[in-house]
Structures are given as structure tokens and as C-alpha cells.
């Protein structure tokens, strides 16, 4: 998904059920995804679930230098409201760039 903003293009990677089976395989998949995304935009954003099933992906993104985008936690594609209750399911995400 490509978003053109006033200042620059933004490419959002939103891969559902992207499971990192092995660190080498996951890293090679990310290399390919980042290479493709760089042809379309200046910034790559990616989202990752917050429950333990996404632990490998969370660690891999951190090792690759991705930082949280500063907008907080999202639930069902909307920024989660402070002090509200949300289910810790696949819809609870944090986005990185």
C-alpha cells in the first residue's frame, strides 16, 4: 500500500500472518520486501502484533533497526484510545518505521 503525502511517499507493509520461522529465512524475506518497497517510497512502515506469537518478528524488526512510529498501539487499524480495554489478539499492533 503506497501513500503519497505532502512531503514524501510512504510505503506500508501490512503482511498478515507473516511468521518468522527461522531468523535467516525471515531476514531474507525482509531484505526482498525492503528492496521492493524502496523502489516506491522513501519510508517503509510495518506493523507487528503484540502477543507472544509475534515475538520472533518483534525481535527481528528491532535487530534490523526499525523503531516504533510514535503513534502508540493500534487496534483493528485505528489508534487505540488511552485507558480503553482491548483484546490482545492479532488486531492489536504496533507500527515501526
Amino acid at each position: 500500500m503506497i501513500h503519497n503525502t505532502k512531503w514524501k511517499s510512504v510505503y506500508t507493509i501490512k503482511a498478515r500472518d507473516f511468521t518468522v520461522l527461522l531468523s535467516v529465512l525471515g531476514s531474507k524475506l525482509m531484505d526482498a520486501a525492503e528492496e521492493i518497497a524502496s523502489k516506491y517510497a522513501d519510508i517503509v512502515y510495518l506493523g507487528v502484533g503484540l502477543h507472544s506469537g509475534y515475538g520472533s518478528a518483534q525481535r527481528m524488526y528491532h535487530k534490523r533497526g526499525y523503531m516504533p512510529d510514535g503513534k502508540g498501539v493500534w487496534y483493528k487499524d485505528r489508534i487505540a484510545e488511552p485507558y480503553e480495554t482491548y483484546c490482545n489478539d492479532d488486531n492489536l499492533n504496533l507500527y515501526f518505521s
Side-chain angles (χ1 to χ4, degrees):
M1 172 184 313
I2 301 172
H3 304 282
N4 289 313
T5 65
K6 189 174 176 180
W7 297 279
K8 57 179 81 174
S9 296
V10 176
Y11 189 82
T12 304
I13 296 175
K14 195 167 185 185
R16 295 283 184 197
D17 300 321
F18 174 67
T19 304
V20 181
L21 301 175
L22 302 169
S23 61
V24 174
L25 177 60
S27 185
K28 289 192 181 292
L29 288 171
M30 285 299 299
D31 288 343
E34 290 169 346
E35 183 178 335
I36 293 167
S38 70
K39 295 176 183 177
Y40 296 96
D42 301 316
I43 301 172
V44 175
Y45 283 89
L46 55 85
V48 65
L50 294 181
H51 65 68
S52 62
Y54 291 98
S56 294
Q58 294 165 359
R59 288 189 301 277
M60 182 182 68
Y61 299 151
H62 173 73
K63 287 179 183 178
R64 294 182 72 87
Y66 284 91
M67 299 291 294
D69 68 0
K71 295 181 181 175
V73 176
W74 291 66
Y75 189 73
K76 293 187 177 180
D77 299 323
R78 297 181 190 271
I79 295 175
E81 294 295 325
Y83 308 108
E84 292 295 323
T85 302
Y86 297 93
C87 182
N88 189 9
D89 59 15
D90 292 340
N91 294 302
L92 190 64
N93 296 282
L94 186 63
Y95 284 86
F96 293 80
S97 62

